[in-house]
Each structure stands twice: as structure tokens, then as C-alpha cells.
Amino acid sequence: MENEESIIEVEMEDEAIPVPIAKEPPKIQRLEECVVNRIAAGEVIQRPVSAVKELIENSLDADSTSICVVVKDGGLKLIQVSDDGHGIRYEDLPILCERYTTSKLSKFEDLQSIRSMGFRGEALASMTYVGHVTVTTITMGQLHGYRATYRDGLMVDEPKACAAVKGTQIMIENLFYNMAARRKTLQNSADDYPKIVDIISRFGIHHTHVSFSCRKHGAGRADVHTIATSSRLDAIRSVYGASVARNLMNIEVSDTGPLISVFKMDGFISNSNYIAKKTTMVLFINDRLIDCGALKRAIEIVYTATLPKASKPFIYMSIILPPEHVDVNIHPTKREVSFLNQEFIIEKIQSVVGSKLRSSNESRTFQEQTMDLSSSSPMATSKDSTKESSPSGIKSQKVPHMVRTDTLDPSGRLHAYMQMKPPGNSERGPCFSSVRSSIRQRRNPSDTADLTSIQELVNEIDNDCHPGLLDIVRNCTYTGMADEIFALLQHNTHLYLVNVINLSKELMYQQVLRRFAHFNAIQLSEPASLPELVMLALKEEGTDPEGNESKELRGKIAEMNTELLKQKAGMLEEYFSIHIDSNGNMSSLPVILDQYTPDMDRIPEFILCLGNDVDWEDEKICFQTIAAALGNFYAMHPPLLPNPSGDGLKFYRKRVLSSGSEVTSIDNIENDTTEAEFEEELRLEAENAWAQREWSIQHVLFPSLRLFFKPPTSMVTNGTFVQVASLEKLYRIFERC
């Protein structure tokens, strides 16, 4: 016997029979804590999408209104989730990523009625065991944020002070760096990023009060972008498209009988016109995204029995149950839950879905696709005209069925089976119209004007729209900037100079009214003090800024304006996303146009305008003047720094020349070099500001004008639009030459 694996050969009638030797039973030993933690981490964080789901749920628990996800290499190289929630306390950072540390519960009984998304305190800890985690956070009232890194559940160094925006940003790098087999398997998979996009889309249509976005690292456009809205159907339309939203039916089920079960379900299911190859089911139970195979199969059975087999349904359902009836702690990734009276609830939902489908299946709507053909057969045209007209001259409503009988006969070719549109009809197809309306609905919700005063202001804009200018705006081509104020547009054979400041000011004013109470927010890196802003604005306007009397008067005006805006803070935040705290600090501004941020140097002027120019007594005039103040602030004014590409370059050389003439020693030369470097930085800053403005005018302003703008009649005569040339007149000049 050489070792425990050795065997003894016993000879029986010239045959050798192997006989195993009895082995010692293996010794049971306690696993090291690091091994236990990594095993648990592998169960909780199974794929990158598992980490994204856990982080989004943490952000929702933090009362976030905006969640942004950035992913690189399917989540293996980078997952970054940023929110604007309440943040993490500085004193909690050392134990943030330890196992079983949580703010959601303190004793086991709390689990019986849990209402939060998280509760075990394993998600962040698991991420630190399979990746490198960095947390940046700031809480309300702090002057700066803190950044901390974590490995294996422990904080590596003391938190470092840093600049931060409101909320928390968690970054996971090199996911599964210490699990070679899993990382190699996931690297060969191409469906991790689509899974992340899918799960964020599901959160986006349920949590309609939160805006979600997801993009690949380095990409300029988000693959998912939802805005906070009051309509769930609008959220579905923005994520899954107009073709899905228009084929959905609302469904509601409830049972308040205490003898069996208490539950409430509402959602949307696809009707008989919806066609898809795969079932899409989005299910939330007590606001928790879960999978329920039994419910999904029950609904699919109803669809199979009622509708054609080729059609798979789209289902969104939100079920609300008493928290004590739900057991959330049955799956490592919280994908599933267990709830009381499951069979009864599923059966009742199945019954209501079946009756709803049967009632909708009585009539089906088929979308007609029209096709434009550049050429047509004369014979086909003549046949169509004779068949469509009746002896009485009235067009028949019946469309003749044509059958191909001869492959050589022109009437048997494909174009003869298509109804021809008149040559003069240039109407665009329904596909383009549906896409355009979908974009408008997504970026400009139609249900924003809930107040009568807002509706009246919007109606005034629509009624005052000039049709000629509207045609120019809708169908123009941007040529370039003529100077700091005017841009060149081409419309048909005419060339126009248009005042960019007037256009942008009016567009912003209209957008404020149309997106009333439905704004996303721009979070300021540091809250801005209203008294200081008002003082700064008054100092710039004053003729004697150094006078004591003037300074005292400015202080009184600043104090009065601050108190006024603090009193109106609730209304400003609810309707315009302008957040002003009890200390008189402003921390957020509204997003009026996507991808556009106003010139923050003009904030003092805007705050002074809010305090002095707004009529707070009359509702309609109040909203009108606030919208006008926002329109003026967000308008694309020239930057305050002179343009260094023109005569303004002298401004950046002035100090260098004056200091250079006084150079008399080495010290002065060193000082002069430092000053020159400062001027160069200022020039580069100005170049960036002017380039950014021109980019915003071309890529943000004019596309938005084409979609949303209703030019008022006053722009015909106030110099906003000036025709400078026409092709016909130029031809006449050339003919004379």
C-alpha cells in the first residue's frame, strides 16, 4: 500500500480482483471568513446586472429623483451609479461595506413588515469581495463630500474630502477580478449590457417619479433615458415606443375581503392588435421588481387560448399586498418573493385578464401602410381610376381584390396591386408622424398644463403663432453665425438673419409653460446664497458701488428679496424645480432643454429679477413673469468674456503688455511670466465658452426650434427675422452683369 488510494489485488482462479481500502472520513473544518464572504458574494452578485439592480434599489431607498448608470465592457470594467438621494453620513462610511450592516431594519421583527428594497446589508459587501468599490457621497448641509475606497468589506483609507454633487455615486471597477472562471465566461457573453438596459427600462416605467438614464462609458447618447412623469403610459411610450403604448389596455383587480386575501393590482396588458415574438412581463410586488413564473404562465395560457399563437403579450403589473403577507427573504438576489394565497391571487388575475381580452378581441384594428412609388404603370392607373369611380360619380368604399393571372401581363406585376397616391400629395407617411409625435410626447408632456392659468398662457402662444414664420422655422437650414447675435438661415430660396437671443428667450419661455411642474433638476455643486447673489447683481447695476449708503441700501434690498423668495420656496420647487432652503440658499435649477445648461454667471441677475419683477399676487401674471425671467436667464446670450477670435483679443493682451514694460528685475520677470500664464488660461476659457455657445445654437437650439417653437406675430416687425437675400434677385443681378 503506497497511499490511501492504493488497492490490493486478490488472486482468485488466475483473476486479479481490485479491493478498495477503507478510507478515513474527511475532517470537518471551519472555513475562513474570507472564503465564506466570497462564496456569499458569488451568490448575491451573479452577473453585472445583479450589481446594477442592487445599486438602483439602494438609490430608490435614498429617495432619489434622478439615477444615472454608466457601464463599460458590459459592467466588468466599470459600473457607475449616481443618484441625487439623501447621501451617506460621514460617520457611517467605515462600516458601509461590512456584511450585515444596514439602515433598513434593526431587529428580526422588522423583516415581517419590510417596505424598503434592501434589508440584509450584503449587496455592497459582496461587491467589495469581487470588485474594487469607490463611494463618493455628500449629505444635505455639508460644504463638501467624501470619497472612500473599499476592499473585502473594509475601508482602505480614511475618507477624503472632495467636491461632490447632491447624493451618492458608487463605482465598481474590475468586477470578478478574483474569479477567473466567471469573468472569462462573462467576457464571452454579449448580453450583459442589454440585460442592464432592460432592467433599467423596467424600473423606469414603474417608478415614474424618478428619471433614469443608462449609457455606455464614452458614449454621447444614453440608451435609456426616462423623465419623471405623472403618466405611466407616457413612461411606457418613452421606453418601449409608441407602437407598444397604443396597443395597451388598462387593467385593475382588487380584493378587500379579509376572509381570503387583501391585494390590489393595476397595470397594462397588450390587446389583440399587439404582435410580438416574445413575452415581455414587468412585475412589481410592493414596488419590488420580481419574477413570478406561475403568474406569467397563467397569463400566457389565457393569451394562447384567446389570441393567435404567434402573438406574445406585453404585460406590466403592480401588485400591492400587506407587507406582513410577503416574504422577501427567499432568494439571494431578491428576484423572487413568496406571498400568502398565491394561487387565489393568480387565479383572480387570470380571470380578469381573460375577460378583458375577450371583450377586446371582438374587433381588431389593422394599421394601413401607404407606399410612395416614383413611377407607375399607365395601365394600372387607368384601371384604378375606372374601378374606384361609380356611375354616379361617388367613390366606392370597396377595394377590389386583384389576382395575378399572367406573369407577362403588366397588370399582374406588383405595382399594380398598390393604390397610387396623387403626384401632388407630399404628405409624410404615418410612420414618420408617429415617431415625431412620440419624440414630442417624450420631451414635452401634453398633460403639463393642469392649471387654468397655464392653459390660458399656452393657448395665447398657440393663437399668436405666425404661420409664415412657423414654416421658416420648421423647414430652415442652419448656415452659421454671422456675428455674436445673428445667425444665418436658409429657407427655400431666401436667406435670413435671425436674432439668436430673441429666439432662444422666447423658446425658453414657451418651454417653461409647456413643461410646467414636470422639470428635471440641475443640481448646483454648492448651494448659492441668495443675499450674496442679490448684492452682486445690485453692485453691477449701481453707479456708486463703493458708497456706504449704497451698500446699506443694497443690503436691505437683498434681505427683503431673500425673505420673499424663502416664502415662495415651496411653489418654486414644486412648479419650477428651483430649490431654496430655509437658510436662503439655492441648490437646484430646472432643465428646460436637454443637453443645455445656462450661463451660471447670470444667476445674480436672475435672482434679482425673481425678487423685483415677479407679480406674486395674480396667479397668471405670476407664472408668466417667472417664465419670462427663466427665459431671459436661459437665453443663449453671448458669454461675458469677450470673444478672443476678434477684437476682444486685445483684452487678453492688455496686462501682459503693461507689465512687460515695467520689467526691471528677475522678480518682476517671474511675476510677469505668471501673469502671462493666467491671461492665457483666461483666453482658453473664453474660447471654450464661445465654442460651446455656437455648438449649443447649432445642435440644441435649432433642432428644438423645429420641434417645439411657435413664433409670435411680433417677430415679424421687431427685427428677429430679417431677409437679406433671395435667389431670384441674385439671378436678376447676374443677368444684368
Side-chain angles (χ1 to χ4, degrees):
M1 182 176 67
E2 297 178 357
N3 50 45
E4 293 182 357
E5 301 296 332
S6 302
I7 59 174
I8 298 176
E9 294 184 354
V10 180
E11 294 185 2
M12 295 181 62
E13 298 180 357
D14 299 332
E15 291 184 2
I17 301 176
V19 179
I21 297 178
K23 296 191 298 183
E24 290 289 332
K27 182 180 179 180
I28 298 176
Q29 56 184 353
R30 191 184 304 275
L31 290 176
E32 295 182 6
E33 186 177 358
C34 63
V35 178
V36 174
N37 291 333
R38 288 188 179 179
I39 292 174
E43 294 176 350
V44 175
I45 309 299
Q46 297 176 355
R47 308 179 69 95
V49 68
S50 305
V52 172
K53 180 176 181 289
E54 295 283 357
L55 293 177
I56 289 177
E57 289 177 342
N58 285 345
S59 297
L60 292 172
D61 283 337
D63 299 327
S64 303
T65 60
S66 177
I67 300 174
C68 178
V69 180
V70 179
V71 177
K72 184 177 183 180
D73 195 16
L76 293 179
K77 287 188 178 180
L78 173 69
I79 296 174
Q80 178 180 293
V81 178
S82 307
D83 64 59
D84 62 349
H86 52 57
I88 303 168
R89 299 174 185 271
Y90 171 78
E91 53 269 22
D92 293 337
L93 289 175
I95 64 169
L96 173 66
C97 293
E98 291 185 11
R99 290 191 72 189
Y100 309 123
T101 57
T102 180
S103 62
K104 315 299 170 55
L105 52 83
S106 57
K107 55 183 184 297
F108 179 76
E109 287 73 20
D110 296 339
L111 193 60
Q112 308 306 316
S113 59
I114 193 74
R115 295 181 182 274
S116 59
M117 306 291 178
F119 54 89
R120 291 184 303 218
E122 282 193 283
L124 286 176
S126 299
M127 295 173 199
T128 64
Y129 284 104
V130 294
H132 302 145
V133 176
T134 303
V135 178
T136 305
T137 185
I138 185 172
T139 57
M140 185 174 294
Q142 285 185 333
L143 297 178
H144 56 78
Y146 292 94
R147 180 177 290 117
T149 57
Y150 297 86
R151 301 289 184 275
D152 296 331
L154 301 176
M155 188 168 64
V156 177
D157 296 312
E158 288 294 319
K160 297 180 180 179
C162 64
V165 295
K166 179 177 180 284
T168 303
Q169 181 188 89
I170 297 181
M171 186 167 57
I172 310 170
E173 298 174 288
N174 301 321
L175 193 63
F176 303 124
Y177 72 97
N178 52 2
M179 303 175 70
R182 184 175 301 189
R183 186 176 179 88
K184 186 174 181 179
T185 301
L186 293 173
Q187 281 179 336
N188 296 332
S189 174
D191 61 349
D192 283 284
Y193 183 69
K195 287 180 183 292
I196 293 173
V197 170
D198 178 66
I199 200 168
I200 294 175
S201 301
R202 293 167 183 259
F203 276 111
I205 67 173
H206 179 75
H207 297 279
T208 54
H209 63 286
V210 182
S211 62
F212 292 86
S213 69
C214 176
R215 62 180 176 87
K216 290 184 178 180
H217 182 265
R221 184 180 62 87
D223 294 291
V224 177
H225 180 65
T226 67
I227 60 173
T229 176
S230 59
S231 170
R232 179 155 287 119
L233 197 60
D234 287 343
I236 294 175
R237 183 181 293 107
S238 67
V239 173
Y240 291 97
S243 60
V244 175
R246 68 167 169 258
N247 291 318
L248 296 182
M249 305 178 294
N250 181 252
I251 184 170
E252 295 182 357
V253 186
S254 62
D255 192 327
T256 56
L259 297 178
I260 303 178
S261 177
V262 178
F263 81 97
K264 180 181 179 182
M265 186 279 288
D266 67 273
F268 291 91
I269 59 173
S270 55
N271 58 25
S272 54
N273 299 313
Y274 178 80
I275 298 176
K277 296 182 180 179
K278 185 176 70 170
T279 299
T280 301
M281 183 167 184
V282 183
L283 176 62
F284 284 82
I285 294 183
N286 289 4
D287 295 327
R288 187 184 298 274
L289 178 62
I290 65 146
D291 294 334
C292 183
L295 179 58
K296 182 178 180 181
R297 287 191 297 271
I299 296 177
E300 285 180 330
I301 289 172
V302 176
Y303 272 87
T304 302
T306 311
L307 300 180
K309 294 182 179 180
S311 177
K312 299 295 183 181
F314 177 95
I315 308 158
Y316 161 78
M317 288 184 179
S318 174
I319 301 176
I320 302 299
L321 295 164
E324 58 271 15
H325 289 186
V326 184
D327 184 3
V328 298
N329 191 26
I330 68 169
H331 195 279
T333 63
K334 299 177 287 187
R335 281 178 49 193
E336 300 174 4
V337 298
S338 176
F339 51 95
L340 294 179
N341 305 305
Q342 178 172 324
E343 293 182 0
F344 168 78
I345 293 174
I346 291 177
E347 182 179 350
K348 187 150 189 175
I349 293 175
Q350 184 185 36
S351 174
V352 174
V353 170
S355 61
K356 189 80 173 179
L357 277 179
R358 284 189 292 273
S359 63
S360 72
N361 198 30
E362 294 175 357
S363 62
R364 296 192 64 185
T365 302
F366 295 90
Q367 299 294 328
E368 181 184 17
Q369 182 178 6
T370 59
M371 299 184 65
D372 292 329
L373 298 181
S374 58
S375 61
S376 61
S377 169
M379 187 177 297
T381 306
S382 62
K383 286 190 176 185
D384 289 344
S385 61
T386 56
K387 292 188 178 184
E388 288 180 359
S389 60
S390 61
S392 61
I394 303 175
K395 291 186 178 179
S396 172
Q397 298 297 323
K398 294 183 179 180
V399 178
H401 296 278
M402 301 185 68
V403 180
R404 179 184 295 198
T405 57
D406 186 359
T407 57
L408 300 178
D409 185 2
S411 63
R413 295 176 188 168
L414 290 179
H415 59 73
Y417 294 85
M418 301 175 185
Q419 295 183 0
M420 303 304 299
K421 297 179 67 176
N425 189 355
S426 60
E427 183 181 354
R428 301 188 182 186
C431 180
F432 179 84
S433 300
S434 63
V435 171
R436 185 164 187 152
S437 63
S438 172
I439 293 174
R440 288 188 176 183
Q441 184 70 24
R442 209 179 312 168
R443 299 182 60 186
N444 205 17
S446 59
D447 58 345
T448 56
D450 298 329
L451 300 178
T452 305
S453 57
I454 293 296
Q455 188 62 54
E456 290 176 357
L457 291 171
V458 173
N459 290 339
E460 289 176 6
I461 293 173
D462 294 337
N463 296 334
D464 190 40
C465 178
H466 190 277
L469 295 183
L470 181 63
D471 180 59
I472 294 175
V473 170
R474 290 285 191 269
N475 302 291
C476 69
T477 300
Y478 173 80
T479 304
M481 294 298 296
D483 58 15
E484 298 177 355
I485 298 177
F486 287 94
L488 282 169
L489 299 182
Q490 181 182 347
H491 176 255
N492 294 335
T493 59
H494 303 292
L495 192 65
Y496 293 90
L497 275 176
V498 294
N499 190 313
V500 170
I501 300 176
N502 290 352
L503 281 177
S504 58
K505 186 183 299 185
E506 181 65 24
L507 173 66
M508 302 300 178
Y509 167 77
Q510 295 182 10
Q511 283 297 94
V512 170
L513 296 178
R514 295 185 187 278
R515 303 183 72 167
F516 181 80
H518 289 79
F519 293 101
N520 287 339
I522 301 173
Q523 300 295 334
L524 304 184
S525 57
E526 293 184 4
S529 171
L530 294 186
E532 294 180 4
L533 292 176
V534 176
M535 289 285 287
L536 186 60
L538 291 172
K539 185 177 180 180
E540 292 176 354
E541 290 185 356
T543 56
D544 184 17
E546 302 300 331
N548 294 330
E549 294 183 2
S550 178
K551 186 174 182 181
E552 183 178 354
L553 179 61
R554 291 199 303 268
K556 290 181 180 180
I557 296 174
E559 183 179 354
M560 292 173 58
N561 284 356
T562 301
E563 290 302 320
L564 174 63
L565 295 179
K566 284 166 62 175
Q567 294 174 9
K568 308 298 181 183
M571 184 269 286
L572 289 173
E573 180 170 16
E574 180 179 0
Y575 293 150
F576 301 100
S577 291
I578 301 174
H579 178 73
I580 297 174
D581 61 23
S582 58
N583 297 323
N585 296 320
M586 183 179 66
S587 58
S588 71
L589 291 166
V591 176
I592 297 180
L593 286 183
D594 296 338
Q595 298 183 340
Y596 175 67
T597 303
D599 186 354
M600 293 301 174
D601 289 337
R602 298 185 182 273
I603 288 183
E605 178 187 353
F606 168 64
I607 295 299
L608 182 62
C609 185
L610 278 185
N612 290 348
D613 299 344
V614 175
D615 183 351
W616 300 96
E617 301 301 326
D618 183 274
E619 179 182 296
K620 180 178 178 181
I621 298 177
C622 173
F623 292 147
Q624 186 179 31
T625 49
I626 293 176
L630 283 167
N632 183 62
F633 171 43
Y634 280 74
M636 296 185 179
H637 299 278
L640 296 181
L641 291 173
N643 191 346
S645 62
D647 295 337
L649 188 59
K650 300 176 182 178
F651 172 83
Y652 303 97
R653 294 177 178 172
K654 184 177 180 181
R655 289 187 181 180
V656 178
L657 294 174
S658 62
S659 61
S661 61
E662 298 174 358
V663 175
T664 57
S665 65
I666 296 178
D667 294 336
N668 287 336
I669 293 174
E670 292 177 353
N671 293 336
D672 182 65
T673 303
T674 305
E675 194 172 9
E677 291 177 356
F678 170 77
E679 295 291 349
E680 181 65 19
E681 291 180 6
L682 192 63
R683 185 184 65 81
L684 292 175
E685 181 183 349
E687 286 182 353
N688 292 334
W690 282 89
Q692 177 63 37
R693 177 180 183 252
E694 186 167 353
W695 185 92
S696 298
I697 290 172
Q698 179 178 357
H699 298 285
V700 178
L701 176 62
F702 280 98
S704 301
L705 289 170
R706 295 186 188 101
L707 283 175
F708 309 127
F709 189 52
K710 299 290 183 68
T713 307
S714 60
M715 286 190 172
V716 176
T717 57
N718 67 1
T720 302
F721 287 82
V722 178
Q723 181 178 331
V724 293
S726 67
L727 197 58
E728 294 87 350
K729 293 181 179 179
L730 289 177
Y731 279 144
R732 292 174 186 172
I733 294 173
F734 293 150
E735 288 173 358
R736 293 172 184 173
C737 296

